[in-house]
Amino acid sequence: MAEVKIACPKCNWEPTPSDQWSCTCGHSWHTFDTAGRCPACGKQWEETQCFEPAVGGCGRMSPHLDWYRNLDGWLLEEIKRIRIRVLEKAD
Ligand SMILES: [Zn+2]
Ligand SMILES: [Zn+2]
């Protein structure tokens, strides 16, 4: 089975598990844990921003799913399930 890698589709910057994204509600979390949904307010981020050039990224927005490499059909289903689970938890 191909290993799934997460990297910026524009510059190939790879986030580490300790990297955090900020939501407009002020919450910070690792966006790939929740497939782009803020666990605090439930906002679904269809696009994910790369980190700033100062830390090796390009700072540009890309569709969240484009960040996953070698994405098989089963994993796409898995991500959709994660989104539903997070949504249920937010309610
Ligand atoms: Zn939020
Ligand atoms: Zn980038």
Side-chain angles (χ1 to χ4, degrees):
M1 192 171 289
E3 193 184 333
V4 175
K5 194 171 107 172
I6 294 171
C8 172
K10 297 195 167 81
C11 74
N12 288 323
W13 175 79
E14 293 180 42
T16 66
S18 61
D19 287 324
Q20 299 215 311
W21 282 257
S22 295
C23 182
T24 46
C25 74
H27 185 72
S28 293
W29 85 111
H30 188 70
T31 194
F32 293 98
D33 282 348
T34 59
R37 182 180 286 273
C38 173
C41 72
K43 179 178 165 73
Q44 179 67 59
W45 291 82
E46 294 298 340
E47 299 213 305
T48 295
Q49 189 175 16
C50 190
F51 274 32
E52 295 304 314
V55 291
C58 64
R60 290 191 283 175
M61 300 285 283
S62 304
H64 187 80
L65 292 180
D66 284 0
W67 283 69
Y68 298 89
R69 307 294 174 85
N70 307 322
L71 195 60
D72 289 333
W74 70 268
L75 189 64
L76 200 57
E77 289 305 309
E78 193 62 24
I79 289 169
K80 284 177 190 159
R81 268 201 293 275
I82 290 170
R83 286 190 173 196
I84 291 164
R85 258 207 315 270
V86 174
L87 180 63
E88 284 168 351
K89 212 158 51 178
D91 293 341

